[in-house]
Amino acid sequence: MSEETNFPSSKKKNRKKALVIFIFILLLLALVTGLYWFFFVKGYESTDDAYVSGNQVMISSQVSGNVQQINADNMDFVRAGEQLLSLDNSDLQLAFEQAQSNLASAVRQVSQLNYTIKQLSAAVQSKTVSLEQVRGNLQRREQLNKTQSIDKESYLHAKEAVELAKVDLIATQNQLSANQALLLDVPLDQQPSVLHAVSQLKQAWLNLQRSKIVSPIDGYVARRSVQVGQKVAVGSALLAVIPVDQMWIDANFKETQLRYMRLGQPVKVKVDLYGDKVEFNGKVSGIDMGTGSAFSLLPAQNATGNWIKVVQRVPVRIALEPEQLQKYPLRIGLSSQVEVNVQQTDGDVLRTARDQTQQQTLYSTSSLVYDQTAVENLVNSIISQNTY
C-alpha cells in the first residue's frame, strides 16, 4: 500500500525535474543567442544584394572605315598598346598624300610671294626715279613757260606726266604693302598658310595611325560585336576591355542599415564563385547620393494615389585589396555577400573635396599618344625641298 501511494509523488518529481531542465535549456539558449548577438551580430550590417562591378573600357573608332583585320576575340588577354583591329586605310593614305602636296604648294606660294615683293620693291625704286625725271622736266618747262618760250600744250603735258608718275608710284607702293602684309616679318615655317598646311598634314597622319585601333589598358576582351568587313563610324562601340585589377563590390544596403555606416569601415566579402573558403577584405569607399530606384530609367512616381511605402536600397561601394584580386580574379556581375563592421563611427559619411593643388588622376593611358617624330621630320623635309 505504501508503494502505491509513493508512485504519484515520484512521477510529480520527475515532471518538475524535466521542467527545470527544459527551462534551463531555454535560458542557456537565450544566453548563447544573446552572447552571439552581442559579439557577432551587434555592430555589423550585412546584405546578399551585392555584385561585382568594374571598369568596362569600351573601344571605339576615331575614324570611319571598313574593318580589315581583327586580332583579338572575347576572353583574350591584351596588353596596353596591342593592336586589336585595323581598318582599311586606302582613303586615309590618299588624304595623307594630298596633305603633303598641299604643304609643298603652300611653301612654294610663300616663296613666290617673297619674289613678288622683291619685284615690287624694284618697281617702286624704278618709278621713284621716273617721277624725279618728270619732275625735273616740269621744272624746266615752268621756267620756259614764264618767258613764253614753250607752247602751253607742252607745259600741260609735262604736268600731266608728273601726276601720272605719282599715281603709278602710289599704286605700286600699295601693291608692295599688300604683299608685305601677307608675310610681315615672319619666317617661312611660321606663315599662317604653311602652318595650316602643316596642321592638315599632321591630322591626316594622325588619322592614318588611328586606322590601327589599339588597347588603352591591360585587360580581357569582352562584348566583341564588330565583324570583318563591317563599316564602322566614328564613336561606334566595337568591343570592351575589362581590367582585372579595377574591380569593386556594389552592395545595396537598406536605408535602415546606413545609420552607422561610415567611409573606411572594414568589410568582409564572400563571392559565390569561391564560396566560404575565400574571404575578401575590403573597406567602404563610398556611399551613393541616391537610391537605386531614384537613378533607374523610370523612377517611381511616389506622388500617385496608389503609393505603397517600400524600404529603399542605397548602393555602397566596397574597395577590395589588389593582392587578393590578383590571387582570386573576379568577373563583373558575380553575386556576393557583404558584412560591414559599423562599430567605428568616427569616419566621414561623404567623401571630402579634393585638394585643387594636388589633383589625383584615377585612370590614365599613354597608348593613345603617338610619337610624332616621323611626321615632324617629314614636314621639315617637305619645307626644305620646296624652298628656293
Side-chain angles (χ1 to χ4, degrees):
M1 187 68 181
S2 61
E3 293 180 357
E4 293 179 356
T5 55
N6 292 333
F7 179 75
S9 61
S10 63
K11 190 176 181 179
K12 188 176 181 180
K13 290 180 180 180
N14 290 334
R15 285 200 303 265
K16 289 183 178 179
K17 183 177 181 181
L19 182 60
V20 170
I21 294 175
F22 178 72
I23 295 175
F24 176 77
I25 292 175
L26 288 180
L27 293 175
L28 183 62
L29 289 175
L31 179 61
V32 171
T33 303
L35 292 175
Y36 178 80
W37 176 85
F38 184 81
F39 288 103
F40 299 100
V41 177
K42 180 185 178 182
Y44 293 88
E45 296 291 350
S46 61
T47 182
D48 58 358
D49 187 0
Y51 304 92
V52 178
S53 299
N55 287 327
Q56 302 183 50
V57 182
M58 298 304 301
I59 306 299
S60 60
S61 177
Q62 294 178 283
V63 294
S64 60
N66 294 89
V67 178
Q68 187 178 52
Q69 184 178 352
I70 298 177
N71 298 335
D73 201 356
N74 289 335
M75 296 173 283
D76 288 343
F77 179 76
V78 293
R79 296 284 185 183
E82 183 176 341
Q83 183 175 338
L84 300 176
L85 53 94
S86 60
L87 306 179
D88 179 22
N89 61 0
S90 301
D91 295 337
L92 300 177
Q93 183 65 39
L94 291 176
F96 178 57
E97 295 174 357
Q98 183 178 0
Q100 296 181 58
S101 301
N102 291 340
L103 176 59
S105 177
V107 173
R108 293 187 181 188
Q109 288 177 0
V110 172
S111 299
Q112 182 182 7
L113 195 58
N114 279 317
Y115 284 104
T116 301
I117 291 176
K118 293 179 180 180
Q119 290 176 351
L120 291 174
S121 298
V124 167
Q125 294 178 358
S126 175
K127 292 181 180 182
T128 301
V129 174
S130 299
L131 178 60
E132 294 299 327
Q133 289 178 349
V134 295
R135 280 178 175 172
N137 293 335
L138 177 60
Q139 289 177 356
R140 289 191 294 271
R141 282 169 173 72
E142 285 177 347
Q143 297 296 329
L144 295 174
N145 185 48
K146 290 179 181 180
T147 59
Q148 296 182 353
S149 300
I150 188 175
D151 60 293
K152 194 170 185 64
E153 184 177 359
S154 298
Y155 174 68
L156 293 176
H157 283 327
K159 291 181 65 176
E160 292 174 355
V162 172
E163 295 299 326
L164 289 174
K166 286 182 179 180
V167 172
D168 193 15
L169 177 60
I170 292 173
T172 306
Q173 288 175 338
N174 290 336
Q175 290 180 359
L176 176 61
S177 299
N179 284 272
Q180 288 176 336
L182 294 175
L183 294 183
L184 298 179
D185 190 16
V186 179
L188 184 144
D189 57 350
Q190 297 298 319
Q191 291 295 329
S193 58
V194 175
L195 291 176
H196 180 67
V198 168
S199 63
Q200 287 185 328
L201 176 59
K202 290 183 177 180
Q203 183 64 60
W205 177 85
L206 193 60
N207 291 338
L208 193 60
Q209 307 306 310
R210 288 173 174 170
S211 64
K212 299 178 181 178
I213 302 174
V214 299
S215 174
I217 57 172
D218 296 347
Y220 288 87
V221 177
R223 301 174 60 183
R224 181 180 71 85
S225 60
V226 64
Q227 301 294 335
V228 173
Q230 178 181 343
K231 177 71 173 181
V232 298
V234 177
S236 58
L238 307 176
L239 49 87
V241 177
I242 300 177
V244 293
D245 58 343
Q246 298 177 12
M247 292 191 178
W248 56 87
I249 302 294
D250 280 334
N252 302 302
F253 285 93
K254 297 179 181 179
E255 53 187 317
T256 55
Q257 295 178 288
L258 300 178
R259 183 178 303 172
Y260 302 109
M261 196 166 293
R262 302 291 186 269
L263 301 183
Q265 289 176 338
V267 183
K268 298 295 184 182
V269 179
K270 292 181 180 179
V271 182
D272 292 354
L273 173 66
Y274 297 107
D276 297 336
K277 295 183 179 180
V278 178
E279 188 177 66
F280 290 86
N281 298 318
K283 64 178 181 178
V284 177
S285 64
I287 303 176
D288 213 329
M289 292 302 296
T291 63
S293 61
F295 290 155
S296 63
L297 184 61
L298 296 174
Q301 297 296 328
N302 295 330
T304 57
N306 59 350
W307 170 77
I308 299 175
K309 182 176 180 180
V310 178
V311 178
Q312 301 295 319
R313 290 183 178 268
V314 178
V316 177
R317 177 170 292 192
I318 310 299
L320 302 175
E321 294 182 356
E323 296 79 7
Q324 288 185 309
L325 281 176
Q326 186 176 6
K327 186 176 181 181
Y328 302 104
L330 300 176
R331 276 81 173 171
I332 293 178
L334 293 178
S335 301
S336 61
Q337 297 84 39
V338 172
E339 185 181 66
V340 181
N341 186 344
V342 296
Q343 296 180 16
Q344 297 179 356
T345 59
D346 54 349
D348 296 326
V349 179
L350 300 175
R351 293 179 178 178
T352 57
R354 295 184 181 182
D355 188 358
Q356 298 295 326
T357 61
Q358 297 178 349
Q359 284 289 351
Q360 179 185 3
T361 301
L362 297 179
Y363 309 104
S364 64
T365 179
S366 59
S367 301
L368 303 179
V369 179
Y370 299 94
D371 183 9
Q372 298 189 14
T373 303
V375 70
E376 292 287 354
N377 294 335
L378 178 62
V379 167
N380 295 332
S381 175
I382 293 175
I383 292 177
S384 63
Q385 290 177 2
N386 291 275
T387 303
Y388 181 74

